[in-house]
Amino acid sequence: SAGVQLEGLLVGKNYTMKETVVPDGYVKSNDVTFTVKDTKDVQTVTMTDKWTVTEIHKQLLSDRTTYVTGASLELRTDKSNANSVVRTVDGIQVKWTSGTGKQTFYGIRPGTYWLVETQAPDGYVTSEPVQVTVTSSLTNTAVMYNDPTHVLIRKVDVHKIFRVVKA
């Protein structure tokens, strides 16, 4: 942005620029202290805004470190409403297919959301929705765990079941 030009500040004096209102999806900027120089040139002081960072992990329940690939995931405002997918401040829908590492999104507005698995990968049980809180801190982290399906296969000898024991 073009910024604001101030005039009449005292030469040699220190001033501090503070952010008092943080836009949604951004992290509060650090204060910027500057000293006015004795020059006729326009002095530029810059405060840099950063988006919030939200890292989402989809991992195996049994070891809580191995990434589960192929899960279809969405971040929603309402866990039961497929039309409530969250958008970042630049309009990107927060939905993806899990891969071999964390998924990172920038500029999610602070709030409480639901991480929903819309399709489990082959061989896995669909995870229950997980509540996720995004704050205006720089990095937010959420983890959803997957459990593989479990099937017990037994082979039984039918002859042993019906064997008659002589007394």
Side-chain angles (χ1 to χ4, degrees), residues 70-161:
S72 297
L73 301 163
E74 298 177 349
L75 193 63
R76 297 178 181 175
T77 57
D78 178 347
K79 65 182 172 183
S80 303
N81 184 351
N83 295 319
S84 69
V85 176
V86 172
R87 290 184 180 272
T88 62
V89 293
D90 59 343
I92 296 171
Q93 280 194 320
V94 182
K95 59 192 280 184
W96 72 102
T97 300
S98 64
T100 58
K102 66 186 176 191
Q103 181 70 34
T104 304
F105 291 94
Y106 299 92
I108 296 177
R109 292 169 180 83
T112 302
Y113 304 107
W114 291 95
L115 178 57
V116 178
E117 183 173 46
T118 59
Q119 179 69 48
D122 291 342
Y124 288 89
V125 177
T126 302
S127 298
E128 290 296 318
V130 173
Q131 193 171 45
V132 175
T133 301
V134 174
T135 66
S136 59
S137 62
L138 181 58
T139 303
N140 299 274
T141 303
V143 181
M144 176 181 271
Y145 296 106
N146 255 104
D147 201 15
T149 55
H150 299 280
V151 177
L152 174 63
I153 299 175
R154 297 188 323 174
K155 182 175 179 184
V156 179
D157 183 345
V158 73
H159 299 288
K160 286 186 179 180
I161 294 174

Side-chain angles (χ1 to χ4, degrees), residues 30-87:
N30 294 327
D31 293 350
V32 176
T33 300
F34 61 96
T35 304
V36 176
K37 298 175 187 164
D38 189 6
T39 178
K40 64 180 181 173
D41 297 330
V42 174
Q43 300 167 55
T44 301
V45 178
T46 303
M47 177 178 275
T48 304
D49 282 327
K50 295 179 183 174
W51 283 339
T52 58
V53 176
T54 305
E55 298 175 344
I56 302 176
H57 304 264
K58 181 69 170 158
Q59 297 174 330
L60 190 60
L61 179 62
S62 62
D63 70 11
R64 296 179 183 253
T65 58
T66 303
Y67 283 92
V68 176
T69 61
S72 297
L73 301 163
E74 298 177 349
L75 193 63
R76 297 178 181 175
T77 57
D78 178 347
K79 65 182 172 183
S80 303
N81 184 351
N83 295 319
S84 69
V85 176
V86 172
R87 290 184 180 272

